[in-house]
Amino acid sequence: MESSQFTDGQSRYETIERMETQGATCDTFRVKLYGKLHFLKRLKAVHAGDIRYQEALRKEFETGYRLEHPHLVRYLSLDGDSILMEYVDGESLAHRLATNPEYFKNRKNTDKFIRQLLSVVGYLHSHQVLHLDLKPDNILLTRINDDVKLVDLGCCYTDTFPDTTGHTHAYAAPEQLSGNATDVRTDIYAIGRILESLPSHSIYNKVIARCTASNPADRYQSVERVESELPSARTILSYYLVAAILLLFVLAFLLWPRQNVKETEVLSETPTQVQKPDSVHVQPSITNHVPSSRKQEQPDTRQTLPAPSSGEELSAPSSNEELSDNQRHDIRQQTLAIISPIYQRMIVPIVHRVQQGDYDERMAFLQDSISRVYVKANEEVYAELRKIDMGSHYPHVSPEEVFVEQQNAIGDVMYYYSQVILRHRHPGVKLPPNPFAE
């Protein structure tokens, strides 16, 4: 009990307990008022007489008081040098990462956290508020249900309170450190740094890279755009299948020869092996991590993934558990190991012939031929996948999840070789990473 340190107005609290974690400019307390716990934030004695800190405290309260969001702590009252707020029973993200990092190795938990964080930051932006001090210490996870609660608007910027009092160097964007103008992209930079601190951050590498670009113009322009780019197994599968529908049209228009040439030659489904140029490298290693190339900046031209020809299904009724990142990695590596010899025999020789110019005058014919060979190759891949039945190795996980990871691996390989073919005709096409060489 520390009621002797409080003013007469503040001594109305039934209990006052100093919290373990203290701020740089404020002392923090858990107080009870009318039987209900609250959080009290009070300026440290050394800052209590400084008008700058007094105004910063008032700015924080007046900004927070008008906001209402399920993932933002509620501001209740301002009393002199203290703010009374909603009490959150939980722990900071920094503490969770230090004591239980395994929590974020579950993809479901990580996705939930990220989407809730983006939701509340997007809400702030829609109300003309920049947080400007997003960091693990300012993000709480509730004890019940592990929901996000964003706290501490002390450094925020609004139209009516443009002055800010500081930032945290490790999460501050370059424009903050240099004293230049800030905007929503400054918060997006910090979000990227926060994602980087998560154990499973490699899944979000593409999003992180764009969030943390040094030039604000190269970052996402809104948190809604960040959310739309988050990878998801099911959305990636849908993306592949929808994009595959466009492949024949893309090949038809991009690879159409300058003059039509009638072609009656029938391409062998097992063409003669030719010398491999350096630009095609297929040596899968099941010991190296092979991240999935989910989305690319250039137009997507993935082929359609044919269903297993035998009518057997690789999926079964769903389970409540999800694949871990290590399990996804293992499934991908095993699938690539199956794809490699089949594609080496059936697809890679065609790619080599394209690169050597064998089809420069008959690209229209190539479109139909390679589509048929892809179908044959993938039928063999699916047959091999059915033989080893990867789903049986993960009895507590839905086989559908295993099937999705297998299709993602097949789609990445098909997309890579499709882009290699396009690049022969259009050198400006940017190649995605080779799934076998990453």
Side-chain angles (χ1 to χ4, degrees), residues 294-328:
R294 304 295 192 189
K295 298 179 181 178
Q296 304 295 332
E297 295 300 328
Q298 64 272 20
D300 199 336
T301 57
R302 288 178 172 81
Q303 272 278 28
T304 303
L305 306 183
S309 59
S310 68
E312 300 178 50
E313 295 293 335
L314 297 183
S315 59
S318 296
S319 149
N320 290 330
E321 296 187 25
E322 293 190 353
L323 291 167
S324 68
D325 293 336
N326 287 337
Q327 289 172 332
R328 293 178 192 279

PDB file of all heavy atoms in Angstrom, residues 294-328:
ATOM      1  N   ARG A 294       5.833 -17.913 -52.213  1.00  0.00           N
ATOM      2  CA  ARG A 294       4.374 -17.795 -52.194  1.00  0.00           C
ATOM      3  C   ARG A 294       3.834 -16.886 -53.269  1.00  0.00           C
ATOM      4  O   ARG A 294       2.954 -17.217 -54.009  1.00  0.00           O
ATOM      5  CB  ARG A 294       3.932 -17.281 -50.840  1.00  0.00           C
ATOM      6  CG  ARG A 294       4.412 -18.152 -49.674  1.00  0.00           C
ATOM      7  CD  ARG A 294       3.802 -19.522 -49.730  1.00  0.00           C
ATOM      8  NE  ARG A 294       4.022 -20.245 -48.504  1.00  0.00           N
ATOM      9  CZ  ARG A 294       3.758 -21.511 -48.334  1.00  0.00           C
ATOM     10  NH1 ARG A 294       3.278 -22.217 -49.303  1.00  0.00           N
ATOM     11  NH2 ARG A 294       3.962 -22.095 -47.178  1.00  0.00           N
ATOM     12  N   LYS A 295       4.356 -15.661 -53.310  1.00  0.00           N
ATOM     13  CA  LYS A 295       3.831 -14.691 -54.272  1.00  0.00           C
ATOM     14  C   LYS A 295       5.000 -13.939 -54.860  1.00  0.00           C
ATOM     15  O   LYS A 295       6.009 -13.717 -54.223  1.00  0.00           O
ATOM     16  CB  LYS A 295       2.869 -13.716 -53.605  1.00  0.00           C
ATOM     17  CG  LYS A 295       1.629 -14.395 -53.021  1.00  0.00           C
ATOM     18  CD  LYS A 295       0.731 -13.381 -52.357  1.00  0.00           C
ATOM     19  CE  LYS A 295      -0.484 -14.045 -51.744  1.00  0.00           C
ATOM     20  NZ  LYS A 295      -1.346 -13.091 -51.050  1.00  0.00           N
ATOM     21  N   GLN A 296       4.852 -13.500 -56.089  1.00  0.00           N
ATOM     22  CA  GLN A 296       5.919 -12.796 -56.763  1.00  0.00           C
ATOM     23  C   GLN A 296       5.405 -11.472 -57.260  1.00  0.00           C
ATOM     24  O   GLN A 296       4.222 -11.267 -57.435  1.00  0.00           O
ATOM     25  CB  GLN A 296       6.431 -13.637 -57.940  1.00  0.00           C
ATOM     26  CG  GLN A 296       6.885 -15.043 -57.538  1.00  0.00           C
ATOM     27  CD  GLN A 296       8.085 -15.037 -56.629  1.00  0.00           C
ATOM     28  OE1 GLN A 296       8.878 -14.094 -56.706  1.00  0.00           O
ATOM     29  NE2 GLN A 296       8.241 -16.023 -55.778  1.00  0.00           N
ATOM     30  N   GLU A 297       6.344 -10.561 -57.506  1.00  0.00           N
ATOM     31  CA  GLU A 297       5.953  -9.247 -57.983  1.00  0.00           C
ATOM     32  C   GLU A 297       5.498  -9.274 -59.442  1.00  0.00           C
ATOM     33  O   GLU A 297       4.687  -8.494 -59.865  1.00  0.00           O
ATOM     34  CB  GLU A 297       7.129  -8.263 -57.837  1.00  0.00           C
ATOM     35  CG  GLU A 297       7.533  -7.995 -56.403  1.00  0.00           C
ATOM     36  CD  GLU A 297       6.406  -7.394 -55.596  1.00  0.00           C
ATOM     37  OE1 GLU A 297       5.593  -6.655 -56.182  1.00  0.00           O
ATOM     38  OE2 GLU A 297       6.298  -7.667 -54.411  1.00  0.00           O
ATOM     39  N   GLN A 298       6.090 -10.201 -60.273  1.00  0.00           N
ATOM     40  CA  GLN A 298       5.719 -10.260 -61.666  1.00  0.00           C
ATOM     41  C   GLN A 298       4.410 -11.019 -61.837  1.00  0.00           C
ATOM     42  O   GLN A 298       3.990 -11.723 -60.950  1.00  0.00           O
ATOM     43  CB  GLN A 298       6.821 -10.925 -62.497  1.00  0.00           C
ATOM     44  CG  GLN A 298       7.063 -12.375 -62.140  1.00  0.00           C
ATOM     45  CD  GLN A 298       8.059 -12.528 -61.031  1.00  0.00           C
ATOM     46  OE1 GLN A 298       8.289 -11.590 -60.295  1.00  0.00           O
ATOM     47  NE2 GLN A 298       8.635 -13.707 -60.890  1.00  0.00           N
ATOM     48  N   PRO A 299       3.748 -10.934 -63.023  1.00  0.00           N
ATOM     49  CA  PRO A 299       2.495 -11.657 -63.237  1.00  0.00           C
ATOM     50  C   PRO A 299       2.679 -13.148 -62.993  1.00  0.00           C
ATOM     51  O   PRO A 299       3.677 -13.738 -63.383  1.00  0.00           O
ATOM     52  CB  PRO A 299       2.177 -11.369 -64.708  1.00  0.00           C
ATOM     53  CG  PRO A 299       2.909 -10.110 -65.001  1.00  0.00           C
ATOM     54  CD  PRO A 299       4.153 -10.140 -64.157  1.00  0.00           C
ATOM     55  N   ASP A 300       1.697 -13.777 -62.341  1.00  0.00           N
ATOM     56  CA  ASP A 300       1.762 -15.184 -61.984  1.00  0.00           C
ATOM     57  C   ASP A 300       1.264 -16.041 -63.134  1.00  0.00           C
ATOM     58  O   ASP A 300       0.255 -15.742 -63.744  1.00  0.00           O
ATOM     59  CB  ASP A 300       0.883 -15.411 -60.744  1.00  0.00           C
ATOM     60  CG  ASP A 300       1.257 -16.708 -60.051  1.00  0.00           C
ATOM     61  OD1 ASP A 300       1.819 -17.594 -60.728  1.00  0.00           O
ATOM     62  OD2 ASP A 300       0.971 -16.818 -58.840  1.00  0.00           O
ATOM     63  N   THR A 301       2.007 -17.109 -63.455  1.00  0.00           N
ATOM     64  CA  THR A 301       1.602 -17.978 -64.555  1.00  0.00           C
ATOM     65  C   THR A 301       1.701 -19.432 -64.147  1.00  0.00           C
ATOM     66  O   THR A 301       2.184 -20.272 -64.897  1.00  0.00           O
ATOM     67  CB  THR A 301       2.480 -17.716 -65.783  1.00  0.00           C
ATOM     68  OG1 THR A 301       3.843 -17.915 -65.422  1.00  0.00           O
ATOM     69  CG2 THR A 301       2.291 -16.317 -66.311  1.00  0.00           C
ATOM     70  N   ARG A 302       1.283 -19.797 -62.947  1.00  0.00           N
ATOM     71  CA  ARG A 302       1.365 -21.177 -62.504  1.00  0.00           C
ATOM     72  C   ARG A 302       0.418 -22.066 -63.317  1.00  0.00           C
ATOM     73  O   ARG A 302      -0.699 -21.687 -63.628  1.00  0.00           O
ATOM     74  CB  ARG A 302       1.019 -21.281 -61.019  1.00  0.00           C
ATOM     75  CG  ARG A 302       2.105 -20.713 -60.127  1.00  0.00           C
ATOM     76  CD  ARG A 302       1.659 -20.813 -58.676  1.00  0.00           C
ATOM     77  NE  ARG A 302       2.721 -20.467 -57.759  1.00  0.00           N
ATOM     78  CZ  ARG A 302       3.064 -19.234 -57.453  1.00  0.00           C
ATOM     79  NH1 ARG A 302       2.425 -18.223 -57.974  1.00  0.00           N
ATOM     80  NH2 ARG A 302       4.053 -19.001 -56.609  1.00  0.00           N
ATOM     81  N   GLN A 303       0.872 -23.313 -63.565  1.00  0.00           N
ATOM     82  CA  GLN A 303       0.057 -24.273 -64.287  1.00  0.00           C
ATOM     83  C   GLN A 303      -1.017 -24.846 -63.372  1.00  0.00           C
ATOM     84  O   GLN A 303      -0.881 -24.868 -62.164  1.00  0.00           O
ATOM     85  CB  GLN A 303       0.941 -25.430 -64.775  1.00  0.00           C
ATOM     86  CG  GLN A 303       1.569 -25.158 -66.132  1.00  0.00           C
ATOM     87  CD  GLN A 303       0.583 -25.463 -67.230  1.00  0.00           C
ATOM     88  OE1 GLN A 303      -0.613 -25.370 -67.046  1.00  0.00           O
ATOM     89  NE2 GLN A 303       1.091 -25.810 -68.390  1.00  0.00           N
ATOM     90  N   THR A 304      -2.071 -25.353 -63.969  1.00  0.00           N
ATOM     91  CA  THR A 304      -3.100 -26.041 -63.206  1.00  0.00           C
ATOM     92  C   THR A 304      -2.534 -27.326 -62.624  1.00  0.00           C
ATOM     93  O   THR A 304      -1.843 -28.073 -63.305  1.00  0.00           O
ATOM     94  CB  THR A 304      -4.289 -26.386 -64.122  1.00  0.00           C
ATOM     95  OG1 THR A 304      -4.761 -25.181 -64.711  1.00  0.00           O
ATOM     96  CG2 THR A 304      -5.398 -27.062 -63.337  1.00  0.00           C
ATOM     97  N   LEU A 305      -2.819 -27.601 -61.358  1.00  0.00           N
ATOM     98  CA  LEU A 305      -2.367 -28.828 -60.732  1.00  0.00           C
ATOM     99  C   LEU A 305      -3.440 -29.901 -60.928  1.00  0.00           C
ATOM    100  O   LEU A 305      -4.516 -29.797 -60.351  1.00  0.00           O
ATOM    101  CB  LEU A 305      -2.131 -28.602 -59.234  1.00  0.00           C
ATOM    102  CG  LEU A 305      -1.187 -27.445 -58.889  1.00  0.00           C
ATOM    103  CD1 LEU A 305      -0.986 -27.372 -57.394  1.00  0.00           C
ATOM    104  CD2 LEU A 305       0.140 -27.634 -59.589  1.00  0.00           C
ATOM    105  N   PRO A 306      -3.215 -30.916 -61.723  1.00  0.00           N
ATOM    106  CA  PRO A 306      -4.254 -31.914 -61.983  1.00  0.00           C
ATOM    107  C   PRO A 306      -4.538 -32.757 -60.765  1.00  0.00           C
ATOM    108  O   PRO A 306      -3.647 -33.041 -59.974  1.00  0.00           O
ATOM    109  CB  PRO A 306      -3.648 -32.760 -63.111  1.00  0.00           C
ATOM    110  CG  PRO A 306      -2.178 -32.618 -62.921  1.00  0.00           C
ATOM    111  CD  PRO A 306      -1.965 -31.218 -62.426  1.00  0.00           C
ATOM    112  N   ALA A 307      -5.783 -33.171 -60.596  1.00  0.00           N
ATOM    113  CA  ALA A 307      -6.158 -34.031 -59.482  1.00  0.00           C
ATOM    114  C   ALA A 307      -5.597 -35.420 -59.717  1.00  0.00           C
ATOM    115  O   ALA A 307      -5.334 -35.822 -60.852  1.00  0.00           O
ATOM    116  CB  ALA A 307      -7.674 -34.079 -59.351  1.00  0.00           C
ATOM    117  N   PRO A 308      -5.386 -36.207 -58.675  1.00  0.00           N
ATOM    118  CA  PRO A 308      -4.892 -37.570 -58.845  1.00  0.00           C
ATOM    119  C   PRO A 308      -5.790 -38.356 -59.791  1.00  0.00           C
ATOM    120  O   PRO A 308      -7.008 -38.381 -59.626  1.00  0.00           O
ATOM    121  CB  PRO A 308      -4.943 -38.147 -57.420  1.00  0.00           C
ATOM    122  CG  PRO A 308      -4.847 -36.946 -56.534  1.00  0.00           C
ATOM    123  CD  PRO A 308      -5.556 -35.846 -57.272  1.00  0.00           C
ATOM    124  N   SER A 309      -5.180 -39.011 -60.785  1.00  0.00           N
ATOM    125  CA  SER A 309      -5.957 -39.656 -61.823  1.00  0.00           C
ATOM    126  C   SER A 309      -6.677 -40.903 -61.341  1.00  0.00           C
ATOM    127  O   SER A 309      -7.651 -41.321 -61.935  1.00  0.00           O
ATOM    128  CB  SER A 309      -5.041 -40.033 -62.993  1.00  0.00           C
ATOM    129  OG  SER A 309      -4.014 -40.897 -62.541  1.00  0.00           O
ATOM    130  N   SER A 310      -6.226 -41.518 -60.259  1.00  0.00           N
ATOM    131  CA  SER A 310      -6.830 -42.760 -59.806  1.00  0.00           C
ATOM    132  C   SER A 310      -8.129 -42.533 -59.068  1.00  0.00           C
ATOM    133  O   SER A 310      -8.840 -43.473 -58.746  1.00  0.00           O
ATOM    134  CB  SER A 310      -5.863 -43.502 -58.878  1.00  0.00           C
ATOM    135  OG  SER A 310      -5.717 -42.772 -57.685  1.00  0.00           O
ATOM    136  N   GLY A 311      -8.461 -41.304 -58.776  1.00  0.00           N
ATOM    137  CA  GLY A 311      -9.692 -41.012 -58.061  1.00  0.00           C
ATOM    138  C   GLY A 311      -9.507 -41.048 -56.562  1.00  0.00           C
ATOM    139  O   GLY A 311     -10.396 -40.706 -55.805  1.00  0.00           O
ATOM    140  N   GLU A 312      -8.303 -41.486 -56.090  1.00  0.00           N
ATOM    141  CA  GLU A 312      -8.063 -41.505 -54.658  1.00  0.00           C
ATOM    142  C   GLU A 312      -7.870 -40.087 -54.151  1.00  0.00           C
ATOM    143  O   GLU A 312      -7.348 -39.232 -54.829  1.00  0.00           O
ATOM    144  CB  GLU A 312      -6.812 -42.332 -54.355  1.00  0.00           C
ATOM    145  CG  GLU A 312      -6.920 -43.777 -54.817  1.00  0.00           C
ATOM    146  CD  GLU A 312      -5.636 -44.518 -54.526  1.00  0.00           C
ATOM    147  OE1 GLU A 312      -5.164 -44.449 -53.389  1.00  0.00           O
ATOM    148  OE2 GLU A 312      -5.100 -45.147 -55.450  1.00  0.00           O
ATOM    149  N   GLU A 313      -8.260 -39.853 -52.922  1.00  0.00           N
ATOM    150  CA  GLU A 313      -8.122 -38.529 -52.331  1.00  0.00           C
ATOM    151  C   GLU A 313      -6.956 -38.527 -51.367  1.00  0.00           C
ATOM    152  O   GLU A 313      -6.705 -39.501 -50.667  1.00  0.00           O
ATOM    153  CB  GLU A 313      -9.406 -38.140 -51.580  1.00  0.00           C
ATOM    154  CG  GLU A 313     -10.614 -37.980 -52.477  1.00  0.00           C
ATOM    155  CD  GLU A 313     -10.462 -36.790 -53.400  1.00  0.00           C
ATOM    156  OE1 GLU A 313      -9.720 -35.869 -53.038  1.00  0.00           O
ATOM    157  OE2 GLU A 313     -11.082 -36.786 -54.464  1.00  0.00           O
ATOM    158  N   LEU A 314      -6.238 -37.422 -51.297  1.00  0.00           N
ATOM    159  CA  LEU A 314      -5.146 -37.268 -50.343  1.00  0.00           C
ATOM    160  C   LEU A 314      -5.602 -36.542 -49.096  1.00  0.00           C
ATOM    161  O   LEU A 314      -4.811 -36.263 -48.225  1.00  0.00           O
ATOM    162  CB  LEU A 314      -3.988 -36.495 -50.987  1.00  0.00           C
ATOM    163  CG  LEU A 314      -3.334 -37.190 -52.176  1.00  0.00           C
ATOM    164  CD1 LEU A 314      -2.173 -36.362 -52.663  1.00  0.00           C
ATOM    165  CD2 LEU A 314      -2.884 -38.591 -51.826  1.00  0.00           C
ATOM    166  N   SER A 315      -6.865 -36.195 -49.022  1.00  0.00           N
ATOM    167  CA  SER A 315      -7.362 -35.488 -47.850  1.00  0.00           C
ATOM    168  C   SER A 315      -8.396 -36.340 -47.137  1.00  0.00           C
ATOM    169  O   SER A 315      -8.961 -37.262 -47.684  1.00  0.00           O
ATOM    170  CB  SER A 315      -7.995 -34.155 -48.250  1.00  0.00           C
ATOM    171  OG  SER A 315      -9.050 -34.375 -49.141  1.00  0.00           O
ATOM    172  N   ALA A 316      -8.653 -36.002 -45.853  1.00  0.00           N
ATOM    173  CA  ALA A 316      -9.587 -36.729 -45.019  1.00  0.00           C
ATOM    174  C   ALA A 316     -10.231 -35.753 -44.076  1.00  0.00           C
ATOM    175  O   ALA A 316      -9.890 -34.580 -44.052  1.00  0.00           O
ATOM    176  CB  ALA A 316      -8.845 -37.840 -44.264  1.00  0.00           C
ATOM    177  N   PRO A 317     -11.180 -36.193 -43.239  1.00  0.00           N
ATOM    178  CA  PRO A 317     -11.823 -35.279 -42.302  1.00  0.00           C
ATOM    179  C   PRO A 317     -10.808 -34.542 -41.466  1.00  0.00           C
ATOM    180  O   PRO A 317      -9.799 -35.102 -41.038  1.00  0.00           O
ATOM    181  CB  PRO A 317     -12.688 -36.224 -41.445  1.00  0.00           C
ATOM    182  CG  PRO A 317     -12.980 -37.386 -42.347  1.00  0.00           C
ATOM    183  CD  PRO A 317     -11.763 -37.545 -43.183  1.00  0.00           C
ATOM    184  N   SER A 318     -11.061 -33.266 -41.232  1.00  0.00           N
ATOM    185  CA  SER A 318     -10.103 -32.403 -40.571  1.00  0.00           C
ATOM    186  C   SER A 318      -9.944 -32.742 -39.099  1.00  0.00           C
ATOM    187  O   SER A 318     -10.839 -33.239 -38.448  1.00  0.00           O
ATOM    188  CB  SER A 318     -10.539 -30.943 -40.699  1.00  0.00           C
ATOM    189  OG  SER A 318     -10.534 -30.582 -42.042  1.00  0.00           O
ATOM    190  N   SER A 319      -8.745 -32.488 -38.573  1.00  0.00           N
ATOM    191  CA  SER A 319      -8.443 -32.605 -37.155  1.00  0.00           C
ATOM    192  C   SER A 319      -8.306 -31.208 -36.587  1.00  0.00           C
ATOM    193  O   SER A 319      -8.269 -30.236 -37.312  1.00  0.00           O
ATOM    194  CB  SER A 319      -7.148 -33.411 -37.008  1.00  0.00           C
ATOM    195  OG  SER A 319      -6.428 -33.037 -35.892  1.00  0.00           O
ATOM    196  N   ASN A 320      -8.209 -31.107 -35.269  1.00  0.00           N
ATOM    197  CA  ASN A 320      -8.138 -29.791 -34.637  1.00  0.00           C
ATOM    198  C   ASN A 320      -6.730 -29.225 -34.610  1.00  0.00           C
ATOM    199  O   ASN A 320      -6.541 -28.060 -34.306  1.00  0.00           O
ATOM    200  CB  ASN A 320      -8.679 -29.879 -33.199  1.00  0.00           C
ATOM    201  CG  ASN A 320     -10.177 -30.111 -33.182  1.00  0.00           C
ATOM    202  OD1 ASN A 320     -10.876 -29.674 -34.090  1.00  0.00           O
ATOM    203  ND2 ASN A 320     -10.650 -30.806 -32.164  1.00  0.00           N
ATOM    204  N   GLU A 321      -5.712 -30.047 -34.871  1.00  0.00           N
ATOM    205  CA  GLU A 321      -4.341 -29.588 -34.794  1.00  0.00           C
ATOM    206  C   GLU A 321      -3.846 -29.129 -36.164  1.00  0.00           C
ATOM    207  O   GLU A 321      -4.361 -29.548 -37.194  1.00  0.00           O
ATOM    208  CB  GLU A 321      -3.441 -30.697 -34.245  1.00  0.00           C
ATOM    209  CG  GLU A 321      -3.796 -31.090 -32.811  1.00  0.00           C
ATOM    210  CD  GLU A 321      -2.785 -32.062 -32.226  1.00  0.00           C
ATOM    211  OE1 GLU A 321      -1.636 -32.056 -32.699  1.00  0.00           O
ATOM    212  OE2 GLU A 321      -3.156 -32.814 -31.321  1.00  0.00           O
ATOM    213  N   GLU A 322      -2.797 -28.278 -36.146  1.00  0.00           N
ATOM    214  CA  GLU A 322      -2.216 -27.792 -37.391  1.00  0.00           C
ATOM    215  C   GLU A 322      -0.767 -28.223 -37.477  1.00  0.00           C
ATOM    216  O   GLU A 322      -0.135 -28.541 -36.465  1.00  0.00           O
ATOM    217  CB  GLU A 322      -2.311 -26.268 -37.470  1.00  0.00           C
ATOM    218  CG  GLU A 322      -3.742 -25.760 -37.597  1.00  0.00           C
ATOM    219  CD  GLU A 322      -3.782 -24.279 -37.908  1.00  0.00           C
ATOM    220  OE1 GLU A 322      -2.697 -23.653 -37.894  1.00  0.00           O
ATOM    221  OE2 GLU A 322      -4.879 -23.764 -38.167  1.00  0.00           O
ATOM    222  N   LEU A 323      -0.246 -28.221 -38.676  1.00  0.00           N
ATOM    223  CA  LEU A 323       1.153 -28.557 -38.881  1.00  0.00           C
ATOM    224  C   LEU A 323       2.046 -27.504 -38.260  1.00  0.00           C
ATOM    225  O   LEU A 323       1.770 -26.315 -38.355  1.00  0.00           O
ATOM    226  CB  LEU A 323       1.457 -28.669 -40.378  1.00  0.00           C
ATOM    227  CG  LEU A 323       0.835 -29.852 -41.124  1.00  0.00           C
ATOM    228  CD1 LEU A 323       0.971 -29.647 -42.621  1.00  0.00           C
ATOM    229  CD2 LEU A 323       1.509 -31.150 -40.714  1.00  0.00           C
ATOM    230  N   SER A 324       3.137 -27.931 -37.648  1.00  0.00           N
ATOM    231  CA  SER A 324       4.132 -26.993 -37.158  1.00  0.00           C
ATOM    232  C   SER A 324       4.998 -26.552 -38.332  1.00  0.00           C
ATOM    233  O   SER A 324       4.966 -27.153 -39.416  1.00  0.00           O
ATOM    234  CB  SER A 324       5.010 -27.656 -36.091  1.00  0.00           C
ATOM    235  OG  SER A 324       5.814 -28.671 -36.677  1.00  0.00           O
ATOM    236  N   ASP A 325       5.796 -25.519 -38.125  1.00  0.00           N
ATOM    237  CA  ASP A 325       6.680 -25.044 -39.192  1.00  0.00           C
ATOM    238  C   ASP A 325       7.677 -26.131 -39.594  1.00  0.00           C
ATOM    239  O   ASP A 325       7.977 -26.310 -40.783  1.00  0.00           O
ATOM    240  CB  ASP A 325       7.440 -23.796 -38.732  1.00  0.00           C
ATOM    241  CG  ASP A 325       6.511 -22.623 -38.533  1.00  0.00           C
ATOM    242  OD1 ASP A 325       5.430 -22.619 -39.159  1.00  0.00           O
ATOM    243  OD2 ASP A 325       6.848 -21.709 -37.758  1.00  0.00           O
ATOM    244  N   ASN A 326       8.197 -26.890 -38.619  1.00  0.00           N
ATOM    245  CA  ASN A 326       9.145 -27.963 -38.939  1.00  0.00           C
ATOM    246  C   ASN A 326       8.478 -29.055 -39.761  1.00  0.00           C
ATOM    247  O   ASN A 326       9.083 -29.605 -40.693  1.00  0.00           O
ATOM    248  CB  ASN A 326       9.719 -28.551 -37.653  1.00  0.00           C
ATOM    249  CG  ASN A 326      10.704 -27.622 -36.976  1.00  0.00           C
ATOM    250  OD1 ASN A 326      11.286 -26.749 -37.620  1.00  0.00           O
ATOM    251  ND2 ASN A 326      10.894 -27.798 -35.682  1.00  0.00           N
ATOM    252  N   GLN A 327       7.228 -29.368 -39.428  1.00  0.00           N
ATOM    253  CA  GLN A 327       6.511 -30.377 -40.197  1.00  0.00           C
ATOM    254  C   GLN A 327       6.251 -29.909 -41.625  1.00  0.00           C
ATOM    255  O   GLN A 327       6.388 -30.685 -42.576  1.00  0.00           O
ATOM    256  CB  GLN A 327       5.195 -30.724 -39.507  1.00  0.00           C
ATOM    257  CG  GLN A 327       5.375 -31.513 -38.216  1.00  0.00           C
ATOM    258  CD  GLN A 327       4.083 -31.674 -37.445  1.00  0.00           C
ATOM    259  OE1 GLN A 327       3.184 -30.830 -37.541  1.00  0.00           O
ATOM    260  NE2 GLN A 327       3.976 -32.734 -36.666  1.00  0.00           N
ATOM    261  N   ARG A 328       5.876 -28.625 -41.782  1.00  0.00           N
ATOM    262  CA  ARG A 328       5.676 -28.081 -43.130  1.00  0.00           C
ATOM    263  C   ARG A 328       6.968 -28.171 -43.940  1.00  0.00           C
ATOM    264  O   ARG A 328       6.961 -28.510 -45.131  1.00  0.00           O
ATOM    265  CB  ARG A 328       5.205 -26.631 -43.044  1.00  0.00           C
ATOM    266  CG  ARG A 328       3.828 -26.453 -42.442  1.00  0.00           C
ATOM    267  CD  ARG A 328       3.456 -24.970 -42.359  1.00  0.00           C
ATOM    268  NE  ARG A 328       2.277 -24.768 -41.547  1.00  0.00           N
ATOM    269  CZ  ARG A 328       1.032 -24.933 -41.957  1.00  0.00           C
ATOM    270  NH1 ARG A 328       0.810 -25.286 -43.213  1.00  0.00           N
ATOM    271  NH2 ARG A 328       0.006 -24.738 -41.150  1.00  0.00           N
TER     272      ARG A 328
END
